[in-house]
């Protein structure tokens, strides 16, 4: 069964490719991007492929007019994919950056989710929303915390909890909830996130030394597990997002899922 799917943050990366792939599979896509140049570029890509079942719109989650407009669309699936990350030590990061990361990654997606749930419940009543679904792009970092990435992954931990709570709350209305948890695939996202800490870290003021943190990031991102081919995750997203059934939590690749389970088990025996 084909679906109408609203995607936030589809101007690049995973969601841009998945939007095109889901449209090619016959679904109706409303792909949104934060800024006008992204909108224009994606519209050109869509036109070049002859896809008349993708509508591209601007959606800056912090713009109340954009938010109000996007809520007028009638959709079956809301895929909360938009987000950004701040890196650096949580013990020293400026708090305004932490607040901004939570605003974009947690509060705004929750605001949009609440709006669509309220509409679906009002329109469908109990068990009247078969096929309605909320999908959150979380992260492997929603399930563990590597040093240097704590602010960003804490927002994903929050999304995991929010998704779990919402799933229980909306189940009586036939609405489903899923998370997608990518590993460190190579899209440029992690690489640019790693740069953010060096806007404010100062070797003269901070006990975290920029050169040491940069070396840690470079080693991680250069490793095979930090530089995986994004195609695998894109293909999984194309299958997961429109599906009526599937796993609640979707970690990819399998090696990362296994690593996360081991890390979570080990946390029970950790000592200070």
């Amino acid at each position: 069964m084909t679906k109408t799917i609203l995607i936030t943050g589809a101007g690049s990366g995973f969601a841009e490719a998945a939007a095109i792939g889901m449209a090619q599979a016959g679904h109706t896509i409303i792909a949104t991007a934060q800024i006008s140049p992204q909108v224009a570029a994606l519209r050109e890509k869509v036109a070049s492929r002859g896809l008349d079942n993708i509508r591209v719109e601007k959606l800056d989650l912090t713009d109340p007019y954009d938010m109000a407009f996007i809520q007028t669309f009638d959709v079956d699936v809301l895929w909360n994919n938009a987000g950004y990350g701040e890196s650096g030590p949580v013990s020293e990061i400026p708090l305004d950056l932490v607040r901004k990361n939570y605003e974009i990654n947690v509060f705004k997606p929750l605001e949009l989710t609440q709006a669509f749930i309220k509409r679906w419940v009002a329109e469908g009543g109990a068990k009247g929303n078969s096929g309605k679904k909320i999908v959150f792009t979380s992260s492997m970092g929603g399930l563990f915390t590597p040093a240097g990435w704590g602010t960003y992954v804490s927002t994903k931990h929050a999304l995991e909890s929010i998704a779990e709570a919402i799933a229980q709350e909306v189940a009586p209305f036939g609405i489903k909830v899923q998370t997608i948890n990518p590993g460190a695939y190579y899209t440029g996202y992690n690489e640019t996130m790693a740069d953010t800490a060096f806007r404010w870290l100062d070797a003269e003021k901070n006990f975290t030394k920029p050169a040491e943190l940069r070396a840690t990031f470079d080693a991680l991102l250069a490793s095979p597990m930090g530089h995986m081919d994004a195609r695998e995750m894109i293909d999984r997203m194309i299958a997961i997002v429109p599906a009526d059934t599937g796993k609640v939590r979707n970690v990819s690749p399998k090696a990362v899922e296994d690593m996360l389970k081991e890390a979570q088990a080990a946390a029970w025996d950790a000592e200070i």
Side-chain angles (χ1 to χ4, degrees), residues 112-155:
L112 197 58
T113 297
Q114 287 181 339
F116 276 99
I117 289 173
K118 181 177 181 180
R119 176 175 170 182
W120 290 342
V121 170
E123 292 174 350
K127 297 295 184 182
N129 290 291
S130 178
K132 301 296 188 184
K133 187 168 73 170
I134 305 291
V135 180
F136 294 96
T137 297
S138 179
S139 168
M140 63 183 289
L143 303 171
F144 87 129
T145 306
W149 307 90
T151 295
Y152 169 72
V153 303
S154 73
T155 68

Side-chain angles (χ1 to χ4, degrees), residues 65-111:
Y65 298 99
D66 283 0
M67 288 284 275
F69 174 68
I70 214 66
Q71 291 170 35
T72 65
F73 288 94
D74 185 14
V75 303
D76 301 305
V77 181
L78 169 63
W79 179 10
N80 289 297
N81 173 75
Y84 94 105
E86 290 287 347
S87 68
V90 175
S91 48
E92 298 195 86
I93 189 172
L95 287 180
D96 61 327
L97 297 179
V98 179
R99 292 189 180 97
K100 180 181 178 183
N101 215 162
Y102 270 81
E103 185 69 16
I104 300 301
N105 288 11
V106 180
F107 299 133
K108 288 301 179 180
L110 178 57
E111 179 184 339

